[in-house]
Amino acid sequence: MAEPLKVLVTGAAGQIAYSLLYGIAKGDVFGKDQALVLVLLDITPMLSVLEGVVMELQDCALPLLREVIPTDKEEVAFKDIDAAVLVGSMPRKEGMERKDLLKANVKIFKSQGAALDKYAKKTVKVLVVGNPANTNCLIACKSAPSIPKENFSCLTRLDHNRARSQVAIRVGVPSDDVKNVIIWGNHSSTQYPDVCHAKVKVQGKVCGAYEAVKNDAWLKAEFITTVQQRGAAVIKARKLSSAMSAAKAICDHMRDIWFGTPEGEFISMGVISDGNSYDVPEGLIYSFPVVIKNKEWKIVEGLPINDFSREKMDATAKELVDERDTALEFIGSV
Ligand SMILES: NC(=O)c1ccc[n+]([C@@H]2O[C@H](COP(=O)([O-])OP(=O)(O)OC[C@H]3O[C@@H](n4cnc5c(N)ncnc54)[C@H](O)[C@@H]3O)[C@@H](O)[C@H]2O)c1
Ligand SMILES: *[C@@H]1O[C@H](CO)[C@@H](O)[C@H](O)[C@H]1NC(C)=O
Ligand SMILES: CC(=O)N[C@H]1CO[C@H](CO)[C@@H](O)[C@@H]1O
């Protein structure tokens, strides 16, 4: 068996981590023959909860899990890690101003970025989940100049999976028969779930989403708002935010980074824009369609973009530009 991989999960006492840690530890992400050391970071008041999570991981008696290291210290958490899933962030509290929330998160991700820079392996793959995920990812990336910026990404795979499933349910096929949906932009209600390039297998034949669904009005309105507002709908129903589905999406995202995307298929993830793809401003972490091979992602280029799509892609970009500029104003002072 290969040397154990060292994998960090932050926010490890929280509800996403509770599902995620099991998924990782049983081999869903790095493979069924890859031994693992799991490092669990949370804030000091959560250390006792973390102890409970450690006990449960031990009690799962998982063959791949070699060691579990709970900690509230960045220098322990980030030491020599191969992969990091940054789930913990500052949640919005009653009456908290948007700017104060952003500032608190800039502080966390600046500090964790610096810890990555100082302690992690230079080949570390970093996935940011804690919201605002796109901007937190950008701050972490900027704070870790010795790690290639391509090794940072943020999660929009949950939105991607939601879009796949909505189309699949509508057509009446398994979700696996819907491929190449795209989430563009921010992981928020301005994201644009795009099915113009999707492929749906219906009765053995592959066709476009419009042909499969046979209801353009639904695809152009209700489908989009359902995906955009799915997070809020889950909170309303469950009185808690998406956790099982978020954990599944994190596993999908990291597994694709590790093993690559299937031939002919692309997935969505938030990655750094160099300004050359789809007229998205340079220096944003923006969700694009990507393919992954040998642990390197490439944006799928050259997809034709109609006016309907263009407008929505620009709106979500504008939101991210504003948030980035505010975050970068804070970065010197936190
Ligand atoms: N990108 C996505 O698709 C997506 C989907 C769902 C949730 N989220 C986000 O993921 C985050 C976690 O969600 P959850 O439901 O697990 O929340 P949660 O409140 O159950 O858990 C968050 C945990 O993070 C910890 N934490 C806070 N600050 C920390 C820090 N500086 N270092 C380490 N740990 C810290 C908290 O103590 C808590 O245990 C939230 O920000 C949520 O909005 C993102
Ligand atoms: C971008 O999306 C994140 C995650 O939902 C959200 O917290 C943030 O407010 C959004 N940005 C803006 C500027 O609306
Ligand atoms: C996903 C990705 O772009 N990975 C890169 C991370 O950085 C290493 C160098 O440390 C590159 O070789 C990878 O391609």
Side-chain angles (χ1 to χ4, degrees), residues 138-157:
L138 184 68
I139 298 299
C141 174
K142 281 205 180 292
S143 308
S146 70
I147 296 166
K149 55 190 186 306
E150 292 77 18
N151 281 342
F152 287 79
S153 56
C154 86
L155 188 75
T156 54
R157 187 64 169 265

Side-chain angles (χ1 to χ4, degrees), residues 5-6 11 29-30 33 49 64 73 83 89 136-137 140 191 214 226 248 250 258 281 292 304 326:
L5 283 180
K6 204 170 173 194
V29 178
F30 301 101
D33 56 2
V49 176
L64 298 175
K73 294 186 179 54
S89 68
N136 287 343
C137 182
Q191 64 174 257
K214 297 189 179 71
T226 299
K248 159 66 165 56
I250 293 168
W258 229 257
I292 306 168
T326 314

Side-chain angles (χ1 to χ4, degrees), residues 98 131-133 186-188 319-320 323:
R98 196 191 179 86
N131 281 318
N186 194 16
H187 167 68
S188 73
E319 173 178 291
L320 281 174
E323 194 169 78

Side-chain angles (χ1 to χ4, degrees), residues 10-11 13-17 41-43 46 87-90 108 112 129-131 133 155 158-159 187 241-242 246:
T10 74
Q15 51 148 1
I16 292 178
L41 177 72
D42 211 296
I43 53 178
M46 298 303 280
V87 181
S89 68
M90 178 62 74
I108 292 172
Q112 295 188 354
V129 179
N131 281 318
L155 188 75
L158 175 54
D159 311 292
H187 167 68
S241 62
S242 322

Side-chain angles (χ1 to χ4, degrees), residues 5-37:
L5 283 180
K6 204 170 173 194
V7 180
L8 166 67
V9 174
T10 74
Q15 51 148 1
I16 292 178
Y18 194 71
S19 296
L20 173 64
L21 289 167
Y22 178 60
I24 295 174
K26 73 179 165 59
D28 286 357
V29 178
F30 301 101
K32 302 287 179 198
D33 56 2
Q34 175 60 64
L36 297 168
V37 172

